[in-house]
Structures are given as structure tokens and as C-alpha cells.
Amino acid sequence: MSVATVTAVAVMVVMAGASTSAGATGHDHDHDHAHDGPGHAHGQAPKASPMAEAASAVGQPRGKTAAQRKAEIIQDPRRLDPGMMSRRADLLAQAEGELAQGNAQSAEKTLDRAAGMLHAADTEMGLVRAYMQAGDYRRALSFAAHTAGAHPEDISGLGLYAWLLHLGGQPAVARQLLDQTLAQVRPSQREAPSVRLLAEVSQRLQAQQLALDGTLLQPPMRLAPMPHGAVPTEQARVAGAAWLLPDGQHALLPLVAMPLDAPGTRLWLRNGLGRTVQATPEKAFPDIGLRLVHLREPLADPKDEAVAALWQVPPRDAFPGTPAVVMSHARSAQASAAWPLLSVGFLGAPVPAPAFAAAPVPAPATQPAPQPMPQPVPVSWRRLGIPLPEDQGAGPVLDMSGRLLGLAVPVPDGAQLVVPISRLRQVIGERFGVLASEPTGQRQPVDQLYEGLLRATLQAIVAPPLN
């Protein structure tokens, strides 16, 4: 099924309820637990396509009218049991606490128990976020499609789904879902809480404003991971993206995020699962605009084969026009947690290496002037070639086979250029993992690329030095 066809199917699912009322359900009561298939009580979810759940929902018989489905919700005896609803509310609160502690697996089990009490959008949005915090983007995306289609009584679930689609390199699909859903909302429903949330998501994506605050960070729809681990100070801000190295305990970040002339700047790094660690600078590489930093606690196990696969590198630099993806993080005046943005496009044209300001190193007065070191063979950089929102700080650039082509670095004129992998290896050494001799010839699905990069693309969080 093509993306356009699947998109139309998903829109049909959402439209079936959004145009009728804010109180109709999209599934028969007998299928309240049809979502157990994605791994609730029966293990792991299949790696479905982004809209597989929505397409599946359309393929099922839908013999009841919207009014009948609305009546079923009202008459559901479980909603009329105060004790059960109180226990369910306690489970939802417990799951949020477990996510805040970084325990996604426990949160998932707790939310499974809540799902057994009532088929509701808030529980399912919590499960989507638990899957994301466990690093399972594809599972989260598949189940978010189900939630968007099965709960037109609370269309904020579509907001979470559209946000994940946008972040995972499918902005046109997200835009179509939001536009067509909001166009079908009746005037009398526009002030409903879920409609207002969906409208805010639509406005943020249209304006490409991915730094979040306010209601969009509130459960159950919360469009970000729950931060856990080290806690940045109140003065901290997100300065852009960093790139975790294969040993799991070092990272590279642009000098613009932690300049050479700002000694004492404090630094934290946070991955897409919300885990936050403190870091300290080790060495600057002014000629490529990057800084190597050491993490006080590792963010990955180098022996993990799935993690090691993230650092495959090609034997030679990519040609201009190579299909590629880039991961980025929105800069923000706060230190709020966020999921990274994946953007798809083509590697740009070669350009000369830019000039970065080097750190001054005065020679001792009693020593003769140092002789110039032999210069390495010049390596052409690349224009990023992939458009990004203005406030996005870019990070790793990969080809469609999942191999690291280089790192996108802001240069003094404000553009984003790509330090090619050959230059990174030349300057920094063999820190980039396994050398992949040739591409496999098999393109990885974009959602698979995003899932891997979720662990390796970090928020760089900085704060001014202590007085």
C-alpha cells in the first residue's frame, strides 16, 4: 500500500468520529482489547508500517452508527463504577511516576493494567509514550495510529500521532491528517479540550516550532520523553544537538554550543529516551568546529550489537546528491526534554573547509617559535542540502543504508555544513565504529533509521559557569 493510500485510509478512520461528536468511539465494545496485539499481554509488537493500525481498523466491519457507539460509551458500566475509575486513575498516575524515573518497562505494565479496566485514549497515549521512552519508535508509531483511529472522542491522540510522524520524516502525512481532521470539526466543538490541543499541535508544526512548553508537555498527550537522571540547573538551555560515540561515554558537539572562550560552562547531555547525564570537555578541534566531551555515566553499552550498528561508516566520502537523513534538536531557552527531528533530503555540493577561530596557544618566551606542522590533504566539506527549521541544531548525517556520512556543524556565517567522515577520522581518529566496506544495497525504512538515532542524537544542554 502506498503512503498516499495509507494516509487516506487513516484520515477516513479519524473522520468517522471527528465529524460526528466529541463523544463517539471508533471501535465496538466487544473489541475493547483488540490493542493487546501490539504487545500488551502477549509480548512484543510487530514492526508495523506507520499507519498499519489505522489501515487495519478500516478493514474491520463497522456496522454500528456513531450514535450507537456513543451510547455504548455512556452505558459502559465500568465508567459508572467509582471504585474502578479511582483505581484506574491511580494506575495512570503511577505510570507517569515510573516514566519520570526512567522505568519504561514498569510503566508499560502498569498501563496494561489500566487498559484492562477501560478502553480509553489517555491510557493508550501513555502506552505510546512508554514505547518511545523504551526506544521503540516503530511500535509507538504503529500503536499511535491505532489510538488516532479508535478514539475520535478524544482527538488529541491524533496530535501525538501526527507529532511522531513529523519527527520521523513524514511531515506531509502529518500535515494532511491534521488539516483534514480539523476541517471536519463542527463549530460547536472547536472549544473542546482535545480539539484545542490538536489545533495547537497543528500550529506548532506549521510554524516549525518544535521547542515545547505549556500544555503540550502535559500528560497524557505529552509530546516529549520524561527526563530522568541528572538534573540541569534552572539557568540551563538546549544549545543544539550532540552525537554519542561508539564507546557510549564520549560525544561530539559543535563549538557554538560550548565555545572556546567560555571556560567553566556546565554541560549535560540527554538522549531521546530522556536519560540525562553530566559531561565535561576533554578536547576541542577548532579546525572542524567540534568538541569532544566525556560523559560521567555511559549512555550506551559498546558491547550491544544493536547500538554498535549505529556507527557503521563508509570507506569513502559520499557524493553530492546522495540521499541522506539528518537528525537535529531544537534550540531552546529552557532545558525541556524533547525527541529529535529526522529530516530527509540529499547531500549538498562540495565546498572548501570553513575557517573556525582557533584557541590561542602562546609559545613560551624562552623557546624558539614552533615550526608549522604538515597540513593534512584538504578534504572538501559538503553543504547539508537538507532544509531545517531555523532553530534546529543539526547532528549526524546518514545515508539510507544507515551509514554515518558526517556531522552537520554550524559555521560562522550561520549555514550548516557537513564535516565528511574522512575528515572526522583524520582529525579525531578511529572513534566511529565499524568500517562498512560497501553499502548493502538495501535501504533502511526511515522509521528504522529514526529508531536507532533516537539513542545516539543527544540534546546539548549548557549553563553558565558558577560564580
Side-chain angles (χ1 to χ4, degrees):
M1 185 180 291
S2 69
V3 171
T5 303
V6 177
T7 300
V9 167
V11 172
M12 288 169 56
V13 174
V14 178
M15 291 302 96
S19 62
T20 54
S21 80
T25 182
H27 275 296
D28 293 345
H29 179 72
D30 291 342
H31 297 114
D32 275 357
H33 300 290
H35 58 284
D36 287 348
H40 289 327
H42 303 292
Q44 295 298 315
K47 300 299 185 183
S49 62
M51 297 188 185
E53 289 287 349
S56 175
V58 168
Q60 295 178 4
R62 301 178 60 84
K64 298 180 182 179
T65 67
Q68 288 172 323
R69 292 193 296 271
K70 179 178 179 180
E72 285 184 339
I73 281 188
I74 296 173
Q75 297 167 6
D76 188 335
R78 294 175 296 182
R79 292 182 179 271
L80 304 177
D81 184 340
M84 179 176 287
M85 292 301 97
S86 176
R87 292 193 295 275
R88 176 180 172 276
D90 290 343
L91 288 173
L92 295 180
Q94 177 182 332
E96 293 298 335
E98 289 164 340
L99 288 175
Q101 295 170 2
N103 198 336
Q105 288 74 23
S106 293
E108 180 184 340
K109 293 177 182 178
T110 301
L111 289 163
D112 278 336
R113 292 168 59 195
M117 295 180 175
L118 190 69
H119 184 221
D122 55 359
T123 311
E124 295 187 1
M125 284 187 278
L127 281 163
V128 170
R129 291 166 43 230
Y131 300 154
M132 284 294 291
Q133 197 152 321
D136 202 339
Y137 171 73
R138 288 173 290 173
R139 184 182 185 190
L141 194 61
S142 175
F143 196 57
H146 160 80
T147 304
H151 295 284
E153 81 281 358
D154 184 353
I155 60 175
S156 60
L158 177 63
L160 178 57
Y161 180 38
W163 193 265
L164 294 181
L165 283 170
H166 183 91
L167 294 180
Q170 301 189 65
V173 179
R175 181 84 258 136
Q176 183 176 355
L177 285 171
L178 291 168
D179 288 348
Q180 294 192 27
T181 301
L182 289 169
Q184 296 293 328
V185 173
R186 293 177 178 178
S188 61
Q189 299 167 347
R190 289 174 184 165
E191 294 304 312
S194 64
V195 175
R196 294 178 67 180
L197 279 173
L198 195 66
E200 186 174 355
V201 171
S202 178
Q203 293 166 4
R204 291 291 187 114
L205 292 184
Q206 189 169 13
Q208 300 190 75
Q209 296 176 347
L210 302 185
L212 296 176
D213 53 25
T215 56
L216 298 185
L217 288 178
Q218 299 300 315
M221 189 182 72
R222 182 181 169 90
L223 303 178
M226 294 290 285
H228 54 278
V231 180
T233 64
E234 291 184 3
Q235 298 81 18
R237 61 182 177 86
V238 178
W243 174 239
L244 185 67
L245 292 179
D247 63 5
Q249 202 149 4
H250 288 85
L252 289 169
L253 71 156
L255 281 177
V256 295
M258 196 174 184
L260 293 169
D261 58 357
T265 300
R266 291 169 289 165
L267 175 68
W268 297 260
L269 298 174
R270 180 188 291 137
N271 64 16
L273 314 186
R275 187 176 172 204
T276 313
V277 300
Q278 287 185 285
T280 54
E282 281 199 351
K283 186 176 182 180
F285 302 97
D287 54 340
I288 57 173
L290 292 169
R291 183 190 289 275
L292 180 70
V293 299
H294 179 265
L295 283 60
R296 296 191 183 179
E297 299 176 35
L299 279 177
D301 182 356
K303 297 180 181 179
D304 186 334
E305 292 183 3
V307 173
L310 300 175
W311 291 279
Q312 299 283 328
V313 298
R316 62 189 67 87
D317 293 336
F319 293 105
T322 299
V325 302
V326 60
M327 288 288 266
S328 60
H329 267 295
R331 291 182 285 268
S332 172
Q334 289 81 38
S336 301
W339 294 310
L341 170 70
L342 181 144
S343 302
V344 184
F346 300 91
L347 201 62
V351 294
F356 293 95
V361 182
T366 57
Q367 297 293 330
Q371 297 299 312
M373 296 293 292
Q375 295 299 308
V377 176
V379 175
S380 293
W381 289 31
R382 302 284 187 270
R383 294 193 184 278
L384 178 57
I386 302 173
L388 290 175
E390 185 176 349
D391 66 344
Q392 291 292 122
V397 181
L398 279 73
D399 66 15
M400 303 309 293
S401 296
R403 301 181 306 169
L404 182 67
L405 302 180
L407 295 179
V409 177
V411 295
D413 66 0
Q416 296 270 4
L417 299 183
V418 178
V419 189
I421 191 65
S422 65
R423 184 68 174 133
L424 289 171
R425 295 169 68 89
Q426 194 179 68
V427 174
I428 300 174
E430 301 301 316
R431 289 182 175 269
F432 290 95
V434 179
L435 185 68
S437 59
E438 292 295 338
T440 62
Q442 294 183 347
R443 292 164 60 98
Q444 290 189 32
V446 173
D447 56 358
Q448 184 175 340
L449 291 173
Y450 185 91
E451 186 169 294
L453 291 169
L454 196 60
R455 292 176 169 84
T457 308
L458 314 177
Q459 284 180 302
I461 303 167
V462 299
L466 293 170
N467 294 331

